[in-house]
């Protein structure tokens, strides 16, 4: 099935951006040690993806673009792993294309296009459906880290085992978008495998990104206990290769 937001990503003025994206690091979590020596259960992303982060396409989006970058990481997973919607002219939509799509869907006013306004998990669900024909499940967790441990951990285990695609997480007090690539549970709590889109600078080796904490396991109990969290889970199982 052709995606509803079919675009020629590499045409015209996008060629230079496309070339930069094609050099992005793939699978930046590989080689990172597990957070627990004797886990009860670990579930990880399955398949390839690219690491999108601030400024990776030459567009300086520091301070507002983290949600867009996480969406792009998710879209790249769809590009590599779901052959029915593979489009060799589009690895992921650009920041402006994401904004224009949300305006077209009437989720945002016309002034949103070209702005520096944030986006979250709900917008991610709309964008992935629009460009990739992928429906998403949005899980709302009101009770901060404690409820994440009680409710979302099992949801995440089931997601990675069934769908295998990256998840987007963001909140209100903790409003920094995060890509979630896995979950690991032990007797004393769980850890999330986080890919952080806030990195800005020249391309690093994946080992350096891991050493500096841009890709890391984070204990759920260390997350904000007073923030709600939303998780966007792409429902990709039926078309995964």
């Amino acid at each position: 099935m052709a995606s509803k937001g079919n675009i020629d990503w590499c045409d015209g003025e996008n060629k230079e951006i496309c070339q930069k994206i094609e050099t992005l690091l793939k699978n930046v979590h590989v080689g990172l040690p597990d957070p627990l020596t004797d886990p009860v259960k670990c579930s990880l992303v399955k398949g390839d993806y690219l690491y999108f982060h601030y400024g990776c396409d030459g567009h300086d989006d520091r301070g507002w673009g983290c949600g867009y970058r996480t969406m792009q990481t998710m879209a790249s997973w769809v590009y590599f792993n779901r052959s029915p919607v593979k489009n060799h002219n589009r690895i992921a939509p650009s920041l402006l294309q994401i904004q224009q799509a949300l305006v077209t869907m009437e989720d945002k006013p016309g002034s949103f296009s070209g702005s520096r306004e944030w986006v979250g998990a709900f917008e991610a669900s709309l964008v992935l459906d629009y460009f990739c024909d992928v429906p998403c499940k949005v899980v709302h967790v009101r009770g901060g880290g404690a409820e994440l441990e009680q409710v979302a951990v099992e949801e995440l285990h089931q997601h990675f085992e069934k769908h295998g695609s990256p998840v987007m997480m963001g909140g209100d007090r903790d409003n920094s978008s995060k890509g979630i690539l896995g979950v690991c549970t032990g007797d004393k709590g769980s850890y999330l495998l986080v890919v952080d889109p806030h990195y800005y600078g020249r391309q690093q080796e994946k080992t350096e990104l891991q050493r500096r904490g841009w890709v890391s396991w984070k204990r759920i109990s260390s997350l904000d206990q007073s923030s709600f969290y939303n998780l966007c889970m792409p429902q990709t199982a039926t078309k995964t290769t």
Side-chain angles (χ1 to χ4, degrees):
M1 180 183 296
S3 63
K4 292 172 288 232
N6 193 25
I7 54 175
D8 289 327
W9 169 232
C10 288
D11 279 0
E13 63 184 19
N14 288 326
K15 279 188 177 295
E16 184 177 350
I17 296 175
C18 185
Q19 290 168 353
K20 289 180 180 179
I21 286 175
E22 288 174 345
T23 66
L24 294 182
L25 291 177
K26 186 182 289 186
N27 307 334
V28 291
H29 72 289
V30 172
L32 186 69
D34 291 340
L36 298 167
T37 56
D38 189 22
V40 174
K41 190 176 185 181
C42 271
S43 307
L44 298 175
V45 65
K46 299 179 180 70
D48 295 334
Y49 63 89
L50 296 179
Y51 173 47
F52 284 80
H53 55 82
Y54 280 166
C56 65
D57 55 5
H59 190 117
D60 187 350
D61 54 318
R62 284 176 288 181
W64 60 272
C66 57
Y68 299 84
R69 298 307 186 181
T70 303
M71 283 188 210
Q72 290 176 318
T73 292
M74 296 162 81
S76 75
W77 184 96
V78 175
Y79 171 85
F80 286 117
N81 296 281
R82 276 191 42 174
S83 57
V85 294
K86 272 188 180 176
N87 181 338
H88 293 289
N89 291 328
R90 186 184 69 247
I91 295 174
S94 69
L95 306 186
L96 182 58
Q97 287 165 343
I98 290 170
Q99 292 181 334
Q100 290 173 336
L102 290 167
V103 172
T104 298
M105 287 183 277
E106 299 184 351
D107 178 69
K108 303 294 183 186
S111 58
F112 180 74
S113 184
S115 73
R116 296 188 173 189
E117 293 189 34
W118 297 2
V119 289
F122 176 70
E123 287 89 352
S125 70
L126 296 177
V127 167
L128 287 174
D129 188 34
Y130 183 85
F131 285 112
C132 305
D133 195 33
V134 171
C136 296
K137 178 180 182 180
V138 178
V139 176
H140 179 64
V141 178
R142 290 184 298 174
E147 190 174 335
L148 276 171
E149 188 79 62
Q150 296 166 6
V151 177
V153 163
E154 186 53 36
E155 287 263 12
L156 286 166
H157 277 300
Q158 292 177 12
H159 172 82
F160 288 115
E161 289 167 8
K162 181 178 181 180
H163 301 285
S165 49
V167 170
M168 177 174 174
M169 185 172 82
D172 57 346
R173 285 176 59 90
D174 181 2
N175 54 24
S176 297
S177 171
K178 304 168 183 64
I180 307 299
L181 303 178
V183 57
C184 192
T185 300
D187 293 331
K188 297 182 180 180
S190 297
Y191 292 76
L192 299 179
L193 178 51
V194 175
V195 58
D196 189 339
H198 294 84
Y199 171 70
Y200 181 84
R202 65 180 179 82
Q203 186 164 291
Q204 303 280 347
E205 296 294 331
K206 65 179 65 175
T207 52
E208 181 66 12
L209 290 171
Q210 294 172 7
R211 187 188 70 80
R212 295 174 61 184
W214 297 109
V215 187
S216 65
W217 286 100
K218 294 189 181 298
R219 191 170 185 130
I220 288 182
S221 60
S222 71
L223 298 174
D224 195 312
Q225 299 299 309
S226 59
S227 178
F228 75 68
Y229 287 98
N230 289 323
L231 296 97
C232 177
M233 301 180 173
Q235 304 297 286
T236 52
T238 57
K239 296 182 180 178
T240 302
T241 57

